[in-house]
Amino acid sequence: MESRLKINRSGFSEIYQREIGLSQSRSFAHRIAGSEAIVEKIDLYGKLNARDGSVNTVHFNSTGDFIVSGSGDTQVIFWDWAAKSKRLAFSSGHSDNIFQARIMPFTDDRTVITSAADGQVRLGQVWENGGVETNRLGKHQGSVHSLAIEPGSPHIFYSCGEDGFVQQFDLRSRSSAKLFACSSLKENKRPGSIRLNAIVIDPRNSTYFAIGGYDGYTRVYDIRSYQQESSSSDSLVNTFCPPDLVGTDNIHITGLAYSNSSELVVSYNDELGYMFQKNMGLGSNPHSVSPENLKRLDRPQVYLGHRNSQTVKGVSFFGHSDEYVVSGSDCGHIFIWKKSGELVHLMVGDKHIVNCLVSHPFLPVLATSGIEKDVKIWVPMANDRSPLPKNVKEIMEANKQGREDRSRRTLTPDVIMHVLRLQRRQPLTYIDRRYTRSDLESDEEDEGETYILGFADDDASSEGGFTNNSRDCNIS
């Protein structure tokens, strides 16, 4: 039995079944890519050096050939991750840290959307000659940490911001619409009181999207039931929160991710990570659930060991069939758990903090970024499976202790300044007022400036990318 277990864990059983004709090539590739043996061989493949500014966002394009990143210097960079080379770099037009940069699908990788700490949502259009035109599509009052693209759509995407608004964008008309302001689920709370950090769309039902922010509840909405005249509660389908955290005031959500089977993983600030199944919802009014019924609910899967306190961290599924959950940590490590919660791999991903993690759409490849000024690429290239480090218990215990006493680790001046920039908040007086119908209409100023851009530096041409000598110019 023990020898059979070793064979299964090493992946040899998959190879054996393929060789004797019991496994089709496609299913073999899927299973081997998600095997524990492959995950435990993941190691650092290379670093993509952004030079200026910490990298706050990283995403693969839909085919997995390229990565797009955005950083504190407001530059957007296209990378050929396999060749470890920069293909294109341009100034986004933002005036503060870029928090999201995404390539729209089915646009020949020429349409890029970005959002930032300046509240803007912007469009970058790459021309055939390598030049880039950028336009402002919309604006939030406060930082915009997250964008969500409608699955398979080259036109529709959503944003959420610290002003509590969810906006929908249509690139065909370059228009934006404020759908609703996220209001507190508690009684006697005004609309707009919940600042938002994350928005994701259910890949199995693209009419459902989930948002999370400055309370403990993940809210799921159905865009089909949204009516511009109605309030946000009319389209609220479900809410999720660990039963033990219901009613807790000192927590908030920093990251959300859907699996391909609609499981929802949630990362909480200075708390743990949790994965919810569909049947674990609290309904549209979680405070109406009695304590007795809360006790009867199935508990979400818990992910232990990391620390999510200093920055707005993401969370992601990993593996071809989403067999794993990955998260960064304030301790600078990358945590990879099985869905069951077992920690299977732990890697040093940054000298300080790992914030962003995103998996390749098809391959067992991971891209991460943190406080350091680079994107790191991780692939299963180690000769032998890497065991958990000997001090894993100490690392996890230190993170646990930090959560419990909410102590602050000693940080270098560079890290302190970066964290202050990320956590800088515009005056929040607007949050305490009631939103009027006019607030739900697009701002006139959203149809703002346009920039025509060439490359922001010479690196793109020197590293095998496109060439363009045009200068940046404001033509607004």
Side-chain angles (χ1 to χ4, degrees), residues 172-187:
R172 289 168 294 192
S173 59
R174 297 201 175 185
S175 62
S176 64
K178 291 179 179 177
L179 299 184
F180 59 85
C182 181
S183 59
S184 174
L185 295 172
K186 294 184 179 180
E187 296 181 356

Side-chain angles (χ1 to χ4, degrees), residues 48 68 74 87 154 161 260 267 278 287 325 344 366 391 418:
L48 311 177
V68 61
T74 71
R87 295 295 302 272
N260 288 320
S267 182
K278 282 186 175 182
H287 295 285
V325 172
V344 295
L366 189 68
N391 63 338
H418 179 78

Side-chain angles (χ1 to χ4, degrees), residues 169-224:
F169 295 83
D170 190 333
L171 295 181
R172 289 168 294 192
S173 59
R174 297 201 175 185
S175 62
S176 64
K178 291 179 179 177
L179 299 184
F180 59 85
C182 181
S183 59
S184 174
L185 295 172
K186 294 184 179 180
E187 296 181 356
N188 302 320
K189 287 286 186 178
R190 293 180 177 182
S193 61
I194 302 300
R195 291 179 282 168
L196 298 176
N197 288 327
I199 180 169
V200 290
I201 299 175
D202 187 341
R204 297 191 69 177
N205 187 347
S206 60
T207 64
Y208 281 14
F209 64 89
I211 58 174
Y214 274 70
D215 67 5
Y217 299 100
T218 300
R219 298 158 170 82
V220 178
Y221 296 85
D222 188 342
I223 191 62
R224 294 172 301 182

Side-chain angles (χ1 to χ4, degrees), residues 145-321:
H145 289 281
S146 186
L147 302 172
I149 299 172
E150 183 176 290
S153 173
H155 310 297
I156 307 296
F157 70 95
Y158 299 82
S159 69
C160 68
E162 289 186 348
D163 56 2
F165 275 108
V166 173
Q167 296 194 40
Q168 182 187 56
F169 295 83
D170 190 333
L171 295 181
R172 289 168 294 192
S173 59
R174 297 201 175 185
S175 62
S176 64
K178 291 179 179 177
L179 299 184
F180 59 85
C182 181
S183 59
S184 174
L185 295 172
K186 294 184 179 180
E187 296 181 356
N188 302 320
K189 287 286 186 178
R190 293 180 177 182
S193 61
I194 302 300
R195 291 179 282 168
L196 298 176
N197 288 327
I199 180 169
V200 290
I201 299 175
D202 187 341
R204 297 191 69 177
N205 187 347
S206 60
T207 64
Y208 281 14
F209 64 89
I211 58 174
Y214 274 70
D215 67 5
Y217 299 100
T218 300
R219 298 158 170 82
V220 178
Y221 296 85
D222 188 342
I223 191 62
R224 294 172 301 182
S225 63
Y226 170 75
Q227 298 294 331
Q228 191 149 352
E229 300 83 16
S230 67
S231 66
S232 63
S233 60
D234 291 341
S235 57
L236 183 57
V237 174
N238 211 343
T239 58
F240 293 89
C241 183
D244 295 340
L245 299 182
V246 170
T248 303
D249 292 327
N250 61 343
I251 59 171
H252 65 268
I253 294 166
T254 66
L256 300 171
Y258 268 117
S259 73
N260 288 320
S261 55
S262 298
E263 298 154 316
L264 183 62
V265 64
V266 182
S267 182
Y268 282 89
N269 177 270
D270 243 336
E271 238 288 332
L272 306 176
Y274 297 88
M275 187 182 71
F276 298 90
Q277 307 290 343
K278 282 186 175 182
N279 63 348
M280 297 178 181
L282 303 174
S284 59
N285 184 7
H287 295 285
S288 66
V289 182
S290 67
E292 292 76 17
N293 288 334
L294 276 179
K295 293 179 181 179
R296 297 191 188 102
L297 288 175
D298 292 336
R299 289 312 197 246
Q301 178 59 57
V302 180
Y303 301 97
L304 304 167
H306 70 305
R307 177 102 191 271
N308 177 8
S309 175
Q310 297 293 338
T311 53
V312 179
K313 291 180 183 63
V315 66
S316 180
F317 285 95
F318 183 71
H320 189 275
S321 299

Side-chain angles (χ1 to χ4, degrees), residues 365-382:
V365 175
L366 189 68
T368 67
S369 66
I371 300 299
E372 293 181 307
K373 300 175 182 180
D374 59 31
V375 178
K376 294 181 177 67
I377 306 299
W378 307 83
V379 303
M381 58 181 290

Side-chain angles (χ1 to χ4, degrees), residues 37 135 146 189-190 200 212 247 270 313 316 324 329 374 411 417 423 431 470 474:
N135 295 275
S146 186
K189 287 286 186 178
R190 293 180 177 182
V200 290
D270 243 336
K313 291 180 183 63
S316 180
Y324 303 91
S329 176
D374 59 31
L411 301 177
M417 290 304 299
Q423 295 184 338
I431 285 181
S470 62
N474 188 337

